Amino acid sequence: MSTLVIDKAGPTRKLGSMSRDRAWALRWSYFFLVLFAIFFLTPPVYMLITSLKSSAEISAATNPWWVFHPTLSNYVELLTSNQFLRFFWNSSIISIVVVIVTMLISIPAAFALARMKFWGSATLATGVFLTYLIPDSLLFIPLFKMLAMIQDFTGITLLNRWYVLVFIYPTLTVPFCTWIMIGYFASIPKELDEAAIIDGASWLQTLLRIFIPVALPGLIAATIFAFTVSWAQFLYPLVFTTSVDQLVLPVGITTTLIKGDVFNWGQIMTGALLGAAPPLIIYAFLMDYYIAGLTAGATKG
Amino acid sequence: MPPGMSRQGALALRPHDKGVDRSPASSFIFRQKAHSMADVVVQQGRLVRNARPRKASGLRNMLGRKSTVAFFLTLPLILLIALLVLYPAFFSLYLATLNKAMTKFVGLGNFTFLFKRETFWMVVKQSCIFAVTAVVFKALIGFIVAHFVHNIPGKKQRKWRGMLLVPWVIPPAMSTLAWLWLFDPSYSAFNYTLSFFGVGPIPWLGETFWARFSVILVNVWYGAPFFLIMYLAALKSVPDQLYEAAAIDGANWWQKIWYITLPMMRNIIAITTLFSLIVTFANFDIVRILTSGGPLDTTHLFATWAFQVGIQSSDIPLGACVSLFMVPILAVAAIFILRDVSKRGNEA
């Protein structure tokens, strides 16, 4: 009799405790997620808060976490300043050209490396991946010297010109984009391009009509990557460009808005927020592609 | 009769061709342009000719070959890597052996000069402290937060993941400016908040310990979301049945993590950690903007010190020499990553 009661009670009690555990685990998860979200979002939120303050309010040292007299004067000032617009324009044109150059180089190369097994193709693919691991801080000094030497030799001004960055940035974007495009292309079923070739398509037609449309998500992920990398690059423009009209946004904000010891923090934060806006907007709309590109880097295909 | 001829040509070519292919004397991809993969190529050529009976010229034939096409498709990539990555890498080896005016060969003089300088050893130490501490905390925070995100219902995960990845999306130079402002000596928002808890003003960037702490904190803040995303993707790929089986066997949460989650994620953890180690070790932006190496050069990393020595003090050979010291640890990490990535490729 007693055993029967226990048998009946056992499972229900266990189930109840488990769902209670679940509920608590969920509550704790939310609690810690909120804590971490505060940690992760404090700097951008603080940027926004400061950007809405006038310099009088900042120097009055009131509660830094609150805006008592919100004003858009920092935004108006920066967006009407020719200098800042020049930085924005330089950054935009460089990033867009770099994205185009990157795609023109890496898509054909990835196609060849994924589909045409030729002598050395495996080595080249490995080499591309290794190139991706070479950081910019290893190459900026020899590149600087190389540019100076080419400039002396040919008489073409390369240093202190924004367009030289268009040639340098692809070293950062092309290896990664090629690598993830190899993965995306390799995942396309072989039957698809075999069918195209049997129908008389050339290699170029196979690439344009089959591979690019099918691997479009990968292409978007690679494009986003190339854009954000060239938008955020700080070391190369800091080394290669110095004149105010040749600077890109990150370097421009850090070098021109900080004048000696005078920090105009309202404008600096506004500039930083505006500089962070394009990648953030792209991320807000294309988050899934962004994350796909991020996780594809460490995996083969 | 063109189709027949081409097939005969293929038969005649093949033995000769294979002989060439197997010969170890192989210079560059140029070689295979003319020779390898002849069977496939000719098959393709035959198909094209069947479709169009007009006889193609020799040049056209060569251009249609798979190996030729492949060569031209990869040529820009090869040129880019060779001219703007490989050449500068070896050029910096050469630069490191010159004197400051770059007129005289001094052999290993720059290296022995560095070994005698105290600052150099401090940079080595600080780079290692910075990279190891930052990567460990990034990995830990990423792992923990990934579990919390994985715990909550699927629909809300997207929102939280989107919010938590924001530090990774903002260009590091921009977000570091916000940190610089948060750490500001006179208007620090952190010190303002801490003063309510009776904690005195902390010299975030003024004292060696706190400056080192701050640069690591900012790096962890910037890099942890990357780990979070990688681990979250890895967590989702662990089959639920394993956890159910463990629960039936009476495993507690710790045992589930130790015996199921970690072994299943082993590879992705290794790749992410090694990759992050490379990026963190070579970091420039954060230290440059926060402290520029100060106070008293105690927060310099290889990259920032190389910048100061090579560009700002325009001693290019010494700067090249400093940055070359990054190569050994980068190479070791790269070798392990390569091993793990190819292992993953084989598993798939």
Side-chain angles (χ1 to χ4, degrees):
Chain A
M1 195 67 170
S2 62
T3 46
L4 205 127
V5 171
I6 288 168
D7 265 359
K8 263 188 170 176
T12 41
R13 197 187 51 198
K14 191 113 196 235
L15 207 84
S17 90
M18 257 176 89
S19 69
R20 212 162 44 231
D21 280 356
R22 276 267 165 79
W24 271 108
L26 200 64
R27 258 169 244 165
W28 278 112
S29 296
Y30 276 122
F31 174 72
F32 282 109
L33 278 178
V34 169
L35 280 189
F36 279 111
I38 291 173
F39 172 56
F40 283 146
L41 293 179
T42 296
V45 168
Y46 194 52
M47 266 188 209
L48 181 68
I49 290 174
T50 311
S51 73
L52 295 172
K53 288 183 181 182
S54 63
S55 30
E57 190 179 340
I58 291 171
S59 53
T62 51
N63 185 349
W65 301 105
W66 192 254
V67 192
F68 294 98
H69 308 287
T71 164
L72 285 176
S73 63
N74 288 319
Y75 289 90
V76 173
E77 215 165 309
L78 276 188
L79 290 175
T80 52
S81 123
N82 280 330
Q83 200 181 45
F84 186 80
L85 292 176
R86 178 82 209 181
F87 298 156
F88 215 95
W89 170 253
N90 283 348
S91 266
S92 313
I93 197 89
I94 289 173
S95 301
I96 289 166
V97 175
V98 167
V99 165
I100 294 168
V101 169
T102 305
M103 289 304 138
L104 286 179
I105 296 177
S106 61
I107 291 172
F111 175 66
L113 288 171
R115 268 301 189 265
M116 309 173 169
K117 295 272 174 277
F118 54 91
W119 185 88
S121 58
T123 319
L124 189 60
T126 311
V128 166
F129 185 68
L130 282 179
T131 318
Y132 166 52
L133 298 179
I134 297 179
D136 50 1
S137 43
L138 196 64
L139 296 180
F140 71 97
I141 291 178
L143 278 173
F144 177 77
K145 185 64 194 155
M146 265 171 69
L147 293 177
M149 279 166 63
I150 297 172
Q151 184 173 321
D152 288 344
F153 190 70
T154 60
I156 305 167
T157 322
L158 290 175
L159 287 175
N160 199 10
R161 288 289 178 276
W162 63 265
Y163 50 74
V164 77
L165 299 173
V166 170
F167 297 99
I168 304 293
Y169 283 5
T171 58
L172 302 167
T173 56
V174 164
F176 181 77
C177 290
T178 311
W179 179 252
I180 65 170
M181 290 313 292
I182 291 175
Y184 277 102
F185 283 164
S187 68
I188 295 173
K190 269 218 160 61
E191 289 77 15
L192 220 55
D193 45 306
E194 275 168 4
I197 286 172
I198 287 170
D199 286 347
S202 68
W203 287 110
L204 189 69
Q205 282 170 321
T206 322
L207 174 61
L208 291 179
R209 301 259 174 93
I210 300 204
F211 277 75
I212 290 180
V214 174
L216 199 62
L219 206 72
I220 296 173
T223 309
I224 294 175
F225 172 84
F227 180 82
T228 44
V229 163
S230 31
W231 188 271
Q233 176 54 225
F234 179 69
L235 175 56
Y236 284 153
L238 185 69
V239 174
F240 299 143
T241 55
T242 44
S243 300
V244 172
D245 61 329
Q246 305 291 336
L247 296 181
V248 296
L249 209 53
V251 181
I253 291 167
T254 47
T255 55
T256 62
L257 291 181
I258 300 174
K259 294 177 189 103
D261 282 343
V262 183
F263 286 68
N264 189 350
W265 279 112
Q267 275 195 19
I268 295 175
M269 289 298 103
T270 312
L273 203 62
L274 290 172
L280 279 174
I281 291 167
I282 291 176
Y283 170 67
F285 286 101
L286 300 169
M287 188 168 86
D288 293 322
Y289 294 109
Y290 193 99
I291 288 170
L294 202 61
T295 45
T299 55
K300 202 173 185 175
Chain B
M1 194 179 167
M5 265 174 73
S6 79
R7 188 179 295 173
Q8 285 228 324
L11 284 171
L13 248 172
R14 216 174 282 162
H16 166 68
D17 199 76
K18 284 197 172 159
V20 170
D21 255 359
R22 280 174 190 166
S23 71
S26 37
S27 56
F28 205 42
I29 292 172
F30 231 107
R31 180 176 291 272
Q32 52 80 41
K33 175 173 104 176
H35 294 293
S36 84
M37 294 283 177
D39 36 5
V40 184
V41 170
V42 175
Q43 256 182 8
Q44 208 201 332
R46 195 180 66 215
L47 284 167
V48 173
R49 273 183 213 187
N50 279 346
R52 263 179 295 169
R54 192 158 49 90
K55 196 182 173 188
S57 70
L59 178 73
R60 203 190 157 113
N61 201 7
M62 202 192 81
L63 281 175
R65 285 194 182 182
K66 191 166 96 165
S67 44
T68 319
V69 175
F71 173 73
F72 281 110
L73 290 180
T74 49
L75 186 64
L77 175 80
I78 293 168
L79 282 179
L80 180 86
I81 292 180
L83 292 180
L84 291 173
V85 179
L86 284 183
Y87 179 74
F90 285 102
F91 187 53
S92 95
L93 269 178
Y94 165 74
L95 279 177
T97 61
L98 299 177
N99 67 347
K100 185 176 177 181
M102 283 181 278
T103 48
K104 208 171 76 208
F105 178 80
V106 292
L108 296 176
N110 286 321
F111 291 87
T112 51
F113 174 74
L114 280 180
F115 287 143
K116 275 184 264 169
R117 280 184 70 171
E118 222 174 288
T119 319
F120 173 74
W121 293 110
M122 206 156 67
V123 169
V124 174
K125 202 180 97 190
Q126 168 61 9
S127 289
C128 294
I129 294 174
F130 176 80
V132 171
T133 321
V135 169
V136 166
F137 277 101
K138 279 189 262 191
L140 273 177
I141 291 178
F143 192 75
I144 293 167
V145 181
H147 270 90
F148 288 140
V149 176
H150 193 60
N151 259 349
I152 64 177
K155 272 185 184 170
K156 290 174 181 167
Q157 279 185 19
R158 212 181 121 82
K159 204 179 74 189
W160 281 96
R161 192 183 59 177
M163 227 153 60
L164 294 169
L165 194 62
V166 165
W168 181 261
V169 181
I170 302 176
M174 307 283 95
S175 51
T176 310
L177 280 173
W179 281 100
L180 184 65
W181 173 221
L182 282 164
F183 289 144
D184 189 87
S186 35
Y187 298 100
S188 169
F190 285 155
N191 284 346
Y192 176 87
T193 315
L194 287 175
S195 69
F196 291 110
F197 301 97
V199 182
I202 295 172
W204 293 103
L205 302 172
E207 254 174 37
T208 298
F209 170 79
W210 286 110
R212 286 180 173 166
F213 172 86
S214 303
V215 289
I216 292 171
L217 176 73
V218 176
N219 194 272
V220 169
W221 174 84
Y222 169 67
F226 173 67
F227 280 84
L228 161 72
I229 290 301
M230 300 299 288
Y231 289 169
L232 198 58
L235 275 178
K236 287 196 193 304
S237 68
V238 180
D240 280 338
Q241 289 96 316
L242 292 180
Y243 293 113
E244 282 159 19
I248 289 167
D249 289 347
N252 58 23
W253 65 272
W254 172 250
Q255 287 168 321
K256 281 182 197 167
I257 288 183
W258 190 256
Y259 292 109
I260 299 172
T261 315
L262 283 176
M264 291 298 282
M265 287 170 62
R266 212 174 64 91
N267 204 273
I268 203 88
I269 290 176
I271 294 176
T272 316
T273 309
L274 288 165
F275 177 74
S276 177
L277 192 68
I278 291 185
V279 176
T280 313
F281 199 71
N283 185 282
F284 176 81
D285 306 12
I286 291 172
V287 174
R288 175 73 205 161
I289 292 174
L290 274 189
T291 65
S292 306
L296 295 171
D297 293 341
T298 47
T299 54
H300 263 313
L301 306 177
F302 279 114
T304 52
W305 201 47
F307 178 80
Q308 186 175 318
V309 170
I311 305 294
Q312 290 188 309
S313 315
S314 54
D315 189 344
I316 288 181
L318 199 63
C321 196
V322 170
S323 57
L324 276 178
F325 276 98
M326 280 191 285
V327 172
I329 194 157
L330 296 184
V332 171
I335 288 168
F336 279 104
I337 293 184
L338 210 59
R339 200 196 60 182
D340 288 346
V341 168
S342 59
K343 212 192 305 175
R344 262 186 85 78
N346 293 340
E347 278 166 15

